[in-house]
């Protein structure tokens, strides 16, 4: 699993945290329509990043634990959720998604913004699924970039605005199913200057049918693919969609 630098975590917290806020209400709506979601308001946010999805559920009265490998990411998450940590309903832990252990059990487990694509191979993905299975009493919802989605990493893009300059340079190797992107940018500082950051991230293209098979082998009772805005509606051909949400239920 990948960890991130403090400067990249700062940029992520500012510009890339919107995805979690966008999908959180859809995940909550789906979960609370299930039998488990009607009675159990507990969430494990795996690879929680800077904590925006966790904060959404905290605001809705959930007990939340967030796990991330990156200490800089967790620092922002703790600051964003400070009042809930002080109230004793939120905890953030530094741990790897493939090897974490918790005594607590959760009705809902999430991992968003294609965080699990950053696992190195199928064995690591299976280990993650096994860890989640041990602590989840109800529903596991996560999203992955498909092979089609990772192909879109090829090329260079520039985001030039008044408050940031961000350059993404990516490549997808279809033979290995690996994608890499180098993100370079400049973000403003409190003194009116700019701070440079650079981060290289890799992703693995997992075959969606194999993802389903792994989840079922581990013990999940039902598994389907969906879009974020319609999590209850299965997708029959997930490889034709760039980003897929996977819903696994016990």
């Amino acid at each position: 699993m990948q960890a991130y630098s403090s400067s990249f975590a700062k940029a992520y917290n500012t510009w890339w945290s919107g995805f979690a806020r966008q999908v959180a209400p859809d995940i909550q709506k789906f979960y609370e329509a299930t039998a488990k979601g009607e009675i159990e308001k507990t969430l494990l946010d795996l690879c929680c990043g800077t904590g925006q999805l966790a904060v959404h559920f905290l605001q809705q009265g959930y007990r939340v634990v967030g796990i991330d490998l990156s200490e800089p990411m967790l620092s922002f998450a703790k600051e964003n959720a400070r009042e809930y940590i002080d109230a004793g309903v939120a905890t953030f832990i530094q741990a790897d998604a493939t090897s974490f252990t918790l005594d607590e059990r959760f009705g809902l487990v999430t991992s968003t913004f294609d965080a699990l694509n950053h696992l190195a191979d199928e064995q690591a993905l299976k280990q993650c699924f096994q860890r989640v299975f041990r602590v989840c009493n109800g529903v596991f919802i996560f999203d992955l970039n498909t092979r089609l989605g990772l192909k879109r990493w090829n090329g260079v893009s520039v985001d030039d605005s008044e408050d940031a300059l961000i350059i993404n340079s990516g490549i997808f190797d279809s033979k290995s199913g690996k994608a890499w992107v180098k993100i370079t940018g400049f973000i403003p500082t409190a003194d009116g200057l700019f701070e440079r950051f650079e981060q290289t991230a890799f992703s693995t293209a997992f075959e969606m049918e194999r993802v389903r098979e792994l989840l079922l082998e581990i013990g999940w009772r039902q598994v389907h693919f969906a879009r974020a805005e319609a999590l209850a509606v299965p997708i029959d051909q997930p490889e034709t969609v760039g980003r897929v949400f996977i819903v696994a239920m016990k």
Side-chain angles (χ1 to χ4, degrees):
M1 203 71 185
Q2 292 175 275
Y4 297 106
S5 67
S6 58
S7 56
F8 180 78
K10 179 181 178 181
Y12 184 98
N13 187 59
T14 303
W15 287 292
W16 293 301
S17 58
F19 182 86
R21 285 192 291 266
Q22 178 183 342
V23 301
D26 295 314
I27 294 173
Q28 180 190 352
K29 179 180 178 181
F30 176 87
Y31 173 63
E32 292 183 358
T34 68
K36 179 63 68 173
E38 291 180 352
I39 59 175
E40 190 167 344
K41 301 297 189 289
T42 53
L43 168 69
L44 171 62
D45 188 11
L46 188 61
C47 307
C48 65
T50 53
Q52 281 74 20
L53 185 138
V55 168
H56 170 87
F57 279 89
L58 288 164
Q59 291 170 340
Q60 305 306 311
Y62 281 65
R63 155 70 181 161
V64 175
V65 173
I67 288 179
D68 204 280
L69 184 60
S70 172
E71 184 57 43
M73 288 287 205
L74 287 172
S75 293
F76 280 100
K78 291 174 184 177
E79 188 59 34
N80 292 332
R82 177 57 55 194
E83 64 180 286
Y84 301 101
I85 295 173
D86 293 343
V89 294
T91 304
F92 291 90
I93 301 168
Q94 185 179 18
D96 193 294
T98 65
S99 59
F100 69 91
T101 56
L102 295 170
D103 293 330
E104 191 170 351
R105 299 296 178 262
F106 305 88
L108 174 63
V109 179
T110 60
S111 186
T112 58
F113 213 2
D114 51 87
L116 298 189
N117 278 115
H118 297 314
L119 294 172
D121 51 35
E122 185 180 296
Q123 180 60 30
L125 188 68
K126 181 178 181 179
Q127 290 172 343
C128 174
F129 290 168
Q130 290 170 330
R131 296 286 171 167
V132 171
F133 189 81
R134 294 173 188 174
V135 300
C136 182
N137 290 328
V139 183
F140 178 29
I141 299 175
F142 62 101
D143 68 280
L144 291 171
N145 275 322
T146 64
R147 180 173 288 265
L148 176 64
L150 289 177
K151 284 181 180 179
R152 297 171 185 168
W153 283 28
N154 275 322
V156 177
S157 64
V158 179
D159 181 5
D160 187 3
S161 63
E162 291 184 359
D163 56 355
L165 172 63
I166 300 172
I167 303 169
N168 296 287
S169 179
I171 186 171
F172 175 71
D173 178 24
S174 60
K175 184 176 181 179
S176 67
K178 296 285 188 179
W180 294 264
V181 62
K182 182 178 180 181
I183 307 168
T184 305
F186 298 86
I187 54 177
T189 60
D191 57 8
L193 299 176
F194 283 83
E195 175 184 355
R196 184 180 185 275
F197 70 88
E198 185 172 287
Q199 184 74 48
T200 298
F202 74 85
S203 283
T204 304
F206 297 108
E207 299 301 326
M208 292 300 105
E209 190 52 42
R210 185 57 183 151
V211 171
R212 186 207 304 266
E213 289 172 359
L214 287 173
L215 290 164
L216 292 172
E217 287 172 9
I218 289 167
W220 299 95
R221 183 172 51 88
Q222 298 178 11
V223 179
H224 72 263
F225 304 102
R227 292 179 172 86
E229 66 274 15
L231 290 171
V233 180
I235 295 174
D236 292 331
Q237 296 181 313
E239 298 289 359
T240 65
V241 180
R243 180 189 300 276
V244 173
F245 275 76
I246 299 92
V247 180
M249 304 178 67
K250 282 192 169 181

